[in-house]
Amino acid sequence: MSNEVADLRAHITQAASHETLAGIDFVRLPGRDRTRILETEDRYFGAQWDLSNGLWKLAVVLDGHGTSVTVDFVLNALPSIVQAALVSAVEESNSQPLGDDTVSKILSQALIGLDERIKNEFIALLPPDIDALSDFDATVPLRDPHGKPRIEVDRALSGTTATVALIDPLNRIHVASVGDCDAVLCVEIEDGWDCQDMGFHHQCSNPAEMARIRAEHPGEPNCVTNTHVGRLLGGMPLSRGIGDMHFKLPVNLVRILEAGCGESIGKAFIDNNITPPYMSNIPEIGHANVPGQKFLIIASDGLDHLMRRFRRKNIPTREHGKIYAAAAARAPAGQNLAAEVLWEAFGGDGEGNIYGDAIAGKLQGRVDDITIAVVPL
């Protein structure tokens, strides 16, 4: 390793935060533009629970946007909801293994329930006759005594993606996702790695998601567009998520949200909001247990952006997974595996490492914040 590369490695070690929770390695690197480091809205969580039918592991990666209010709400609430539901299901099963359908129900209800809570707590601020509200009514208490939007308003306006993985006592992997975080199951084979894409790529540019949205809103050609990047109602690239209630509520309530935040959402957005909801809160869920599985790697979309924009643009996610798995596998004992994946994504010890260009502001456009979880299996 050259001195220059060694210096870059020391820099990224200082710039990123590293943590191991319940045997799961996490790393988080703030994003940056050409001139400054940006505040990260990524979050993560790891836990393990020793229940009567064995040891369960939980890994969560969240990618917030707008503000950090919604992502922090989900971070604080989600693990305990999943744990309580899991404990109840194990008790009902008399400590027998839980089937995929049962785990799917636990994860789905947890994510949908949090989104519904955000919506209902905002609506609870409003007068009972919601349909009669057409414009902002000054009597509606959308701001706190200090004049700032109430937290229920902030939660409704901002949003987050969520990828949640449960690893059961039989080492079966259960991944639920709303949004575009990646999840890759890495399997060791004779000549390297085989990887299974367990993410669902909930973006409007995903042809399957675009077709679903258009089928749900017939006769609305502007409900989702795809010029350079797919957009929901001309604004949001995500097709599923938690929060972002202006993509889920009728126009009269969107106008109230607009007034509550003191910003204009835009006439075109309002005009095209005809049959909400447009953004879905329903997660997709996958299950797997593959001989030779070694790692489950979950990452916010910043990792995928890095790989596709600057390093390996036209390679499927499962091929990226092979790069990540090889980096994790060769990590020295005691090293944070997620940090090894992050370093390799920038180019590793080779001469093509682009981390120096990133910190010097030489890369075109913003480098998104990146969070990675590596779950050894």
Side-chain angles (χ1 to χ4, degrees):
M1 185 190 303
S2 68
N3 289 338
E4 181 180 358
V5 171
D7 288 345
L8 289 177
R9 177 132 195 177
H11 188 287
I12 199 171
T13 298
Q14 291 295 318
S17 57
H18 312 78
E19 191 169 9
T20 300
L21 299 172
I24 303 166
D25 286 344
F26 295 90
V27 67
R28 182 173 60 194
L29 182 71
R32 59 171 62 235
D33 60 20
R34 290 176 180 266
T35 60
R36 61 196 174 101
I37 297 173
L38 306 173
E39 182 178 354
T40 181
E41 292 172 338
D42 284 2
R43 301 290 188 267
Y44 62 81
F45 184 83
Q48 63 181 23
W49 304 309
D50 193 3
L51 306 184
S52 59
N53 69 345
L55 188 68
W56 290 75
K57 281 194 174 186
L58 172 74
V60 178
V61 171
L62 309 170
D63 185 353
H65 51 266
T67 70
S68 60
V69 175
T70 301
V71 70
D72 285 337
F73 168 72
V74 175
L75 177 70
N76 291 330
L78 180 64
S80 61
I81 292 171
V82 173
Q83 182 182 17
L86 192 60
V87 168
S88 178
V90 170
E91 290 177 352
E92 289 180 9
S93 74
N94 294 317
S95 301
Q96 296 302 305
L98 299 185
D100 291 348
D101 288 348
T102 299
V103 179
S104 292
K105 184 177 179 181
I106 289 170
L107 294 176
S108 182
Q109 288 183 342
L111 291 167
I112 293 172
L114 284 173
D115 191 64
E116 291 296 313
R117 179 176 161 189
I118 291 170
K119 180 181 73 175
N120 292 336
E121 289 182 354
F122 165 67
I123 291 175
L125 299 176
L126 308 179
D129 189 6
I130 294 175
D131 292 336
L133 295 171
S134 56
D135 296 302
F136 173 60
D137 185 336
T139 65
V140 177
L142 298 181
R143 295 182 176 269
D144 65 20
H146 304 288
K148 295 181 179 180
R150 290 185 56 153
I151 194 166
E152 295 89 347
V153 174
D154 276 341
R155 285 177 186 161
L157 277 168
S158 60
T160 186
T161 69
T163 294
V164 186
L166 277 173
I167 296 89
D168 69 23
L170 300 178
N171 223 26
R172 187 160 180 79
I173 317 302
H174 313 268
V175 177
S177 184
V178 282
D180 57 357
C181 290
D182 281 324
V184 186
L185 180 61
C186 303
V187 179
E188 192 170 25
I189 57 178
E190 185 174 351
D191 58 349
W193 295 93
D194 187 22
C195 294
Q196 178 178 338
D197 185 356
M198 297 190 72
F200 294 100
H201 311 288
H202 293 146
Q203 300 166 325
C204 295
S205 53
N206 179 339
E209 285 294 278
M210 178 175 285
R212 176 187 62 79
I213 296 166
R214 286 181 170 165
E216 291 174 356
H217 303 279
E220 297 181 45
N222 295 322
C223 67
V224 59
T225 56
N226 190 17
T227 51
H228 177 61
V229 177
R231 299 282 181 180
L232 198 64
L233 296 182
M236 171 63 74
L238 290 173
S239 57
R240 306 193 196 199
I242 297 175
D244 293 311
M245 288 299 156
H246 42 302
F247 293 97
K248 299 170 180 175
L249 293 173
V251 167
N252 61 330
L253 299 190
V254 173
R255 290 188 184 278
I256 293 170
L257 264 179
E258 189 178 44
C261 68
E263 298 178 4
S264 174
I265 293 176
K267 183 178 185 301
F269 181 97
I270 296 293
D271 289 346
N272 290 320
N273 186 338
I274 301 169
T275 57
Y278 293 90
M279 179 181 285
S280 173
N281 63 7
I282 299 174
E284 288 191 271
I285 303 174
H287 313 273
N289 188 358
V290 182
Q293 61 187 24
K294 297 290 287 187
F295 306 112
L296 176 66
I297 299 176
I298 306 171
S300 62
D301 68 341
L303 182 63
D304 183 71
H305 290 173
L306 174 68
M307 295 292 286
R308 293 186 187 281
R309 285 176 57 201
F310 303 118
R311 298 210 54 230
R312 297 172 181 263
K313 296 183 180 180
N314 298 315
I315 295 178
T317 300
R318 63 181 181 277
E319 296 298 319
H320 289 163
K322 296 178 182 180
I323 299 169
Y324 308 153
R330 63 174 175 263
Q335 189 77 19
N336 184 296
L337 303 183
E340 293 298 309
V341 172
L342 176 65
W343 176 243
E344 187 61 31
F346 277 100
D349 295 339
E351 293 182 359
N353 191 297
I354 61 170
Y355 183 67
D357 289 339
I359 60 178
K362 295 180 180 179
L363 297 180
Q364 185 175 3
R366 170 182 170 178
V367 178
D368 199 5
D369 43 357
I370 299 171
T371 296
I372 303 168
V374 178
V375 186
L377 301 170

